Amino acid sequence: QFAKPPEKPNVTVVPGDEKVTLYWDNIAESSVDPISEEQDFEGYAIYRSTDPQFLDQQTITDAYGTNFLFEPHKMANGASAKFDLINEYVGLSDIVYSNRGVYFNLGNNTGLRHSFVDSNNVINGQTYYYAVTSYDRGSSALAISPSECSKLITVNPERNETFLDVNTAKIIPRPRAAGYQSSYIDSDTIMHSSGKATGQISIEIIDQMAVEDLDTFIVSFSEGPSRYSVEDMKITDEVFTAKLDKYISLKNKWINETSFRLTSLDENTIYQSDLDFELDSEFGRIKALDTGELIEGEQYQVNYTFWPIKNSRLFNLEEANPVFDGMKIYLKDEELRLDTQNSGWSSSSNANSVYSITPYNGNNDYMYPADYEVRFSSSIVDTGSLNNILTNFKIFEVTNNMDHVEQRFAVFDSDQEQGLWNLGERVILLVGEEGLNPSWEFRLFPPQDGENILPTDGDILKISTKRPFSQEDTYTFSTRSAKLESEQIKSDLDKINVVPNPYVVTNELEQLDLQNPLDRGPRRVYFNHLPQNCTISIYTIDGSLVNTLPHSSTIDDGIKYWDLTTKDNFPIAYGVYIYHIDAGEAGQKIGRFAVIK
């Protein structure tokens, strides 16, 4: 056995308009080196090239001047696309490559990511090759230098084919079809279904075409330690073939056992857990029991919901959460504290009394996660004071715009003979089932300078808090998939053009001839921003038909290539050509382009 690099990440690549999006799983992060017996994973590196062997990236030489290491792709900000763990391993490794005299760059403690958007000089129509590699930190004790997984792309020149590994991709960026509307979060908001937390939750759509229509997700929380899960509420339907006393893997892991249902294909017979089958919900697999009614080799129907994210502890807007259904979730938790920015007199209040808001007796253990409004009046009002001190205000809990609930409180009356609240006296808010537990307290004082304007009708003192996520909190959001809008298709026809225009001898977008790398490949231009279905007719300047190109594509593909040949497969002559786009009811577009040979 030899030291080995981490497992290869499984990469998905998404073409965009002058950009490319990559995202990958975290399988590499649990890899164990067979020699050091350590989980020595350190980070990811991203490579981009127009050459399937990435030879233009192998620019780091050894001490003998031989090309040895590959340089990661540069991001738009000039930094290397390398994302590593935040730990003590940073910069150049302290282990030299034997007989090479060079050191591996372990990264700059950027933090892990599982997605990357490349927008650095990305050209539509150009063929790019990408690789996402995982690398380890090696072992100083065993003098094992860092190792990086391979990035293999095999080329078959006879058929002009390329074969990709799980961590490599071949992609051509392109504009969307005319009328394309992006997928989005329904209502553009994440609904706080229950609980009082004020933390941030946001969703980033990574893969537009992977977002499902009318799918609902629920974000829930657990404590001790704090963690969160995301459940996909859309029922997953599967058919599996039973194997007695042998686990069969399902499509998803972290299955919600309460939602799991196993039936016959006609759904007339329902089978029972622990009697007919055994479910391993964590790893998403099922085993038919020989004591039950499931038959070896028979097919059965399975329905369930699952958690694409389970028990995550990434609460600081980290990039490391996995992509699910084309989306990534970010959370930012809050510590329980007074929200000084939103506490104080309301904007409509005229009172200028100085306020002091603190936990009871200044002890943070009495902080309570809720928002309140102290509403003043010009006269004595019915009071919720525990000790029957008369006041000209009432206190209401208004957390998360809930139905306002009157709050109990107590007053420390410094002049007990009057039984009336005055400026400077402490007001303690009481919470708990019996309303006897102290939480926040406030006092009012006259301003040091100027006239004291006492609170009266319409004046409100706000007591607002920042509140952490808790097991009482749930959030819900729904998704809408990408689609085509018919009215927008008509307006987008004006965007159609030919690239390049004029075409001059050759085009950097043209692929090489893999059989004869020194020879040029076939000529080509492309029409972009096309409707999903249309017909392209190309004419000479005198109206003779040159070629007709039918176009039918997915909604995220608005490109059609033309190899500059006639309908009889002859190369076209130089000159000016007219093109006509017929998109049926959506309309037509006429334009022209030039070819110089």
Side-chain angles (χ1 to χ4, degrees):
Q1 285 189 340
F2 299 92
K4 59 177 292 187
E7 295 292 331
K8 301 172 185 176
N10 295 283
V11 176
T12 302
V13 60
V14 183
D17 190 1
E18 297 186 342
K19 67 179 182 180
V20 172
T21 301
L22 302 101
Y23 59 95
W24 55 93
D25 61 17
N26 61 356
I27 188 173
E29 295 163 31
S30 56
S31 299
V32 177
D33 189 281
I35 301 300
S36 65
E37 297 182 346
E38 296 179 348
Q39 284 188 326
D40 57 355
F41 168 84
E42 182 60 25
Y44 299 105
I46 297 176
Y47 300 92
R48 186 189 88 181
S49 178
T50 55
D51 172 62
Q53 305 303 318
F54 299 96
L55 295 180
D56 55 346
Q57 298 297 303
Q58 193 177 17
T59 58
I60 301 175
T61 60
D62 62 11
Y64 302 100
T66 303
N67 290 347
F68 179 49
L69 296 177
F70 292 81
E71 184 178 5
H73 175 56
K74 296 295 184 183
M75 297 186 288
N77 61 5
S80 294
K82 179 173 280 192
F83 312 108
D84 61 312
L85 293 168
I86 300 176
N87 54 22
E88 67 272 25
Y89 302 99
V90 62
L92 295 180
S93 169
D94 58 358
I95 310 166
V96 67
Y97 281 100
S98 179
N99 299 321
R100 291 287 190 172
V102 295
Y103 301 83
F104 188 82
N105 182 5
L106 295 174
N108 297 315
N109 280 353
T110 58
L112 292 183
R113 297 178 61 172
H114 293 109
S115 64
F116 172 71
V117 178
D118 180 21
S119 58
N120 184 14
N121 196 30
V122 175
I123 302 172
N124 285 344
Q126 174 71 61
T127 300
Y128 293 102
Y129 300 92
Y130 284 90
V132 180
T133 62
S134 56
Y135 62 90
D136 59 37
R137 60 178 177 267
S139 172
S140 299
L142 299 176
I144 299 174
S145 56
S147 55
E148 185 177 19
C149 75
S150 62
K151 44 185 183 297
L152 183 63
I153 298 179
T154 304
V155 177
N156 180 359
E158 293 184 359
R159 294 189 176 183
N160 205 29
E161 293 177 327
T162 53
F163 300 93
L164 305 171
D165 206 344
V166 296
N167 67 325
T168 59
K170 176 183 178 182
I171 198 71
I172 302 176
R174 63 202 185 203
R176 312 294 192 184
Y180 178 88
Q181 287 192 340
S182 301
S183 54
Y184 60 95
I185 304 301
D186 199 11
S187 301
D188 296 324
T189 58
I190 301 175
M191 185 174 66
H192 196 172
S193 306
S194 63
K196 300 179 178 180
T198 59
Q200 304 173 34
I201 297 184
S202 60
I203 304 295
E204 179 187 6
I205 295 180
I206 302 293
D207 187 349
Q208 290 279 341
M209 300 304 293
V211 177
E212 297 185 357
D213 199 33
L214 298 176
D215 198 356
T216 299
F217 298 83
I218 295 179
V219 185
S220 57
F221 298 83
S222 303
E223 298 178 59
S226 295
R227 55 198 188 278
Y228 60 91
S229 303
V230 180
E231 183 176 4
D232 186 342
M233 300 306 295
K234 188 172 185 177
I235 300 297
T236 299
D237 298 317
E238 287 191 50
V239 174
F240 90 103
T241 302
K243 298 288 184 181
L244 295 180
D245 289 329
K246 181 180 180 180
Y247 278 112
I248 302 297
S249 295
L250 301 174
K251 294 179 182 177
N252 302 295
K253 300 179 180 180
W254 292 112
I255 292 172
N256 186 341
E257 294 186 29
T258 61
S259 70
F260 190 84
R261 187 169 177 263
L262 191 152
T263 67
S264 56
L265 291 180
D266 59 13
E267 299 189 356
N268 290 330
T269 305
I270 301 177
Y271 298 96
Q272 303 298 316
S273 176
D274 298 329
L275 180 62
D276 299 310
F277 65 91
E278 183 178 303
L279 174 66
D280 183 351
S281 59
E282 179 178 351
F283 292 97
R285 53 186 187 170
I286 186 172
K287 177 172 66 176
L289 301 177
D290 56 9
T291 57
E293 298 183 6
L294 299 183
I295 301 174
E296 174 87 16
E298 288 289 322
Q299 289 188 325
Y300 297 90
Q301 181 73 35
V302 170
N303 309 105
Y304 61 87
T305 62
F306 71 102
W307 289 278
I309 295 180
K310 185 67 172 176
N311 293 330
S312 174
R313 299 186 188 180
L314 304 175
F315 279 98
N316 291 308
L317 303 178
E318 289 99 326
E319 292 274 359
N321 263 331
V323 175
F324 62 95
D325 279 44
M327 301 175 291
K328 183 180 285 190
I329 189 169
Y330 300 87
L331 284 87
K332 178 66 175 178
D333 204 2
E334 297 276 9
E335 293 183 0
L336 178 57
R337 66 187 190 277
L338 184 69
D339 182 358
T340 56
Q341 183 175 358
N342 293 311
S343 296
W345 295 112
S346 65
S347 58
S348 60
S349 298
N350 294 317
N352 67 347
S353 299
V354 178
Y355 59 85
S356 169
I357 305 172
T358 63
Y360 175 66
N361 284 340
N363 187 338
N364 289 343
D365 292 338
Y366 289 103
M367 291 191 296
Y368 187 76
D371 291 341
Y372 303 96
E373 288 185 355
V374 184
R375 301 176 181 175
F376 288 87
S377 177
S378 59
S379 60
I380 300 298
V381 295
D382 292 336
T383 179
S385 173
L386 180 65
N387 48 356
N388 297 320
I389 302 299
L390 299 177
T391 67
N392 67 331
F393 59 81
K394 289 185 177 182
I395 303 177
F396 295 86
E397 183 181 350
V398 295
T399 308
N400 289 349
N401 298 317
M402 61 183 283
D403 291 337
H404 298 178
V405 177
E406 190 167 352
Q407 183 73 32
R408 298 191 71 185
F409 60 90
V411 177
F412 281 9
D413 190 9
S414 58
D415 51 358
Q416 298 181 7
E417 294 181 359
Q418 295 184 19
L420 182 67
W421 171 80
N422 295 297
L423 292 183
E425 295 178 338
R426 298 167 62 190
V427 180
I428 292 85
L429 280 67
L430 303 174
V431 298
E433 293 183 1
E434 299 181 359
L436 297 175
N437 300 326
S439 59
W440 299 96
E441 67 172 82
F442 72 89
R443 289 192 290 174
L444 298 182
F445 304 93
Q448 293 183 351
D449 301 315
E451 178 186 2
N452 181 19
I453 303 175
L454 295 173
T456 185
D457 286 331
D459 290 329
I460 298 175
L461 179 66
K462 295 182 177 181
I463 301 175
S464 299
T465 57
K466 296 286 188 180
R467 303 177 290 276
F469 295 115
S470 73
Q471 59 190 13
E472 297 178 357
D473 288 291
T474 57
Y475 293 79
T476 305
F477 65 94
S478 298
T479 58
R480 294 280 185 167
S481 61
K483 62 180 181 180
L484 296 179
E485 179 58 50
S486 57
E487 290 301 318
Q488 187 177 333
I489 294 177
K490 298 177 181 179
S491 61
D492 283 351
L493 292 180
D494 292 335
K495 298 179 180 179
I496 295 175
N497 61 355
V498 177
V499 179
N501 186 11
Y503 175 91
V504 183
V505 182
T506 187
N507 178 0
E508 66 175 335
L509 307 181
E510 295 167 340
Q511 300 185 46
L512 295 176
D513 186 339
L514 296 180
Q515 288 183 311
N516 301 289
L518 298 180
D519 193 9
R520 62 159 295 127
R523 291 183 168 89
R524 72 174 183 177
V525 296
Y526 69 82
F527 300 83
N528 66 2
H529 300 292
L530 295 171
Q532 184 180 15
N533 297 290
C534 64
T535 301
I536 307 169
S537 300
I538 304 164
Y539 301 89
T540 60
I541 201 70
D542 62 2
S544 299
L545 179 64
V546 176
N547 208 336
T548 301
L549 309 174
H551 174 70
S552 181
S553 67
T554 56
I555 65 174
D556 66 330
D557 184 1
I559 277 185
K560 181 67 176 183
Y561 292 99
W562 181 40
D563 60 1
L564 298 181
T565 61
T566 68
K567 60 181 182 295
D568 298 318
N569 204 33
F570 290 110
I572 65 171
Y574 65 87
V576 176
Y577 292 84
I578 306 297
Y579 66 87
H580 173 260
I581 310 294
D582 185 359
E585 295 181 357
Q588 303 179 27
K589 169 68 184 292
I590 297 176
R592 62 182 178 176
F593 63 97
V595 175
I596 302 173
K597 287 189 173 182

